[in-house]
Amino acid sequence: NAFLSHYGFEVKTDMILEPDDSYAVTSIFQQLTNPNAEAIHYPLWLIPRKESGAIHPKSQFTKNASAVLLPWTSSLEVKSDKQPNATFTNLIESTKKADKRSEFVIVNEEKVAKQPINAQKTNFVLGLHVEGNLKSFFTSETVPKEVTEAFVDKTKEGKKSQIVVFGSPYLLSDMLASNDYIQLFRANLGFVLNVIDILGGDTDMLSLRTKQVYTKNLKDVSKTEKFIFSFINILLLPVGISIFAFLRLKKRSSGKR
């Protein structure tokens, strides 16, 4: 996109996948057929975390955020030479374990989980802050005729222009406003409102809106561990309950005598 590229960045036509820092889900089919099915990582719903180094710890936009949900996010290409008088700060990045898909992308939960994720060993930019004296994309000849205000071709001296961009358009999607995702939706809502307030020069509500995202990474379980857990649930637990019930009945019978 020539317009965005002029301001020093480009939203790529790809999707980023995270093997670990991603949301744990059960597929719709699993929910209907087996409500107790184990959750799996959905690598297309990224949850960059401050503890993983994916969120900038000092930027005013992100220092109060522990994690952010980025569903179906693309990477950002930074072209800082396009705006030499601006500062570019990576607000959110992927981990080096992340992979990307540039062609056809399957989004089905189970099919995505079965696909190999090849670590690209690079930090893809997912959120970017541009600040400084910016040159306008338009000139006095190309500015739209509908514009009635006086045309300014760059930021005025002594002032700074700012742009904040993320690779996902679904930060506040209505699909997150359901019971399954409401905590994540509230955290994202607080994060986005903070970004808007900072851009508007109002920082009074930042700390009050800070929300923690209470999601933990799934722990990889070996086949041996799965067998032990299944053995306990299927055999030992029912046997233990039966023995307990037998002893209680025996004690009650002894008391009556």
Side-chain angles (χ1 to χ4, degrees):
N1 188 301
F3 179 79
L4 297 182
S5 179
H6 175 85
Y7 290 101
F9 60 89
E10 182 180 343
V11 181
K12 305 299 289 184
T13 55
D14 57 21
M15 279 194 183
I16 304 303
L17 298 87
E18 279 280 10
D20 298 325
D21 283 5
S22 51
Y23 191 62
V25 300
T26 52
S27 69
I28 295 176
F29 177 76
Q30 285 179 316
Q31 293 174 22
L32 294 174
T33 58
N34 183 11
N36 297 319
E38 63 182 47
I40 56 175
H41 275 295
Y42 184 51
L44 290 171
W45 275 30
L46 280 62
I47 303 185
R49 305 171 188 274
K50 185 172 291 183
E51 63 189 36
S52 301
I55 295 180
H56 197 293
K58 295 181 179 180
S59 170
Q60 195 171 16
F61 292 98
T62 52
K63 66 181 181 180
N64 292 319
S66 62
V68 179
L69 173 65
L70 297 177
W72 299 305
T73 184
S74 299
S75 64
L76 305 174
E77 181 181 353
V78 180
K79 301 179 176 181
S80 56
D81 59 303
K82 297 284 187 177
Q83 294 288 341
N85 296 319
T87 301
F88 292 76
T89 304
N90 296 345
L91 298 178
I92 302 176
E93 297 179 336
S94 72
T95 68
K96 291 188 177 181
K97 295 181 180 179
D99 194 3
K100 72 174 180 178
R101 301 280 193 274
S102 299
E103 305 297 331
F104 179 76
V105 180
I106 298 175
V107 298
N108 176 272
E109 297 96 331
E110 293 181 346
K111 291 183 178 180
V112 170
K114 293 177 182 178
Q115 290 183 342
I117 296 180
N118 302 313
Q120 297 298 307
K121 298 181 181 179
T122 187
N123 299 108
F124 296 106
V125 181
L126 308 175
L128 179 69
H129 176 219
V130 184
E131 181 181 33
N133 191 298
L134 303 182
K135 298 180 296 181
S136 174
F137 173 78
F138 300 99
T139 65
S140 55
E141 290 76 23
T142 61
V143 64
K145 296 179 179 180
E146 295 79 12
V147 176
T148 57
E149 299 178 0
F151 173 70
V152 179
D153 64 348
K154 63 179 180 180
T155 307
K156 294 180 179 180
E157 291 296 330
K159 301 287 186 179
K160 288 185 178 181
S161 298
Q162 298 188 80
I163 300 173
V164 174
V165 61
F166 300 101
S168 172
Y170 301 104
L171 275 168
L172 292 181
S173 171
D174 55 359
M175 67 182 175
L176 298 179
S178 64
N179 290 334
D180 293 337
Y181 313 117
I182 193 64
Q183 292 296 331
L184 291 166
F185 176 79
R186 288 173 178 168
N188 273 16
L189 177 62
F191 175 73
V192 172
L193 290 176
N194 281 354
V195 170
I196 293 172
D197 281 352
I198 293 170
L199 291 174
D202 183 6
T203 59
D204 293 339
M205 297 290 291
L206 299 188
S207 59
L208 295 178
R209 288 204 197 102
T210 300
K211 297 286 185 181
Q212 302 296 320
V213 180
Y214 296 103
T215 60
K216 296 293 185 181
N217 286 343
L218 293 178
K219 178 182 179 294
D220 290 331
V221 180
S222 66
K223 291 183 178 180
T224 302
E225 290 175 313
K226 287 183 179 180
F227 174 78
I228 293 173
F229 293 145
S230 298
F231 179 77
I232 292 173
N233 287 325
I234 295 173
L235 184 60
L236 291 187
L237 191 59
V239 170
I241 293 174
S242 300
I243 293 173
F244 175 77
F246 173 75
L247 294 176
R248 289 282 295 175
L249 289 173
K250 185 176 180 181
K251 184 177 179 181
R252 186 176 297 178
S253 300
S254 302
K256 288 181 179 181
R257 293 177 184 175

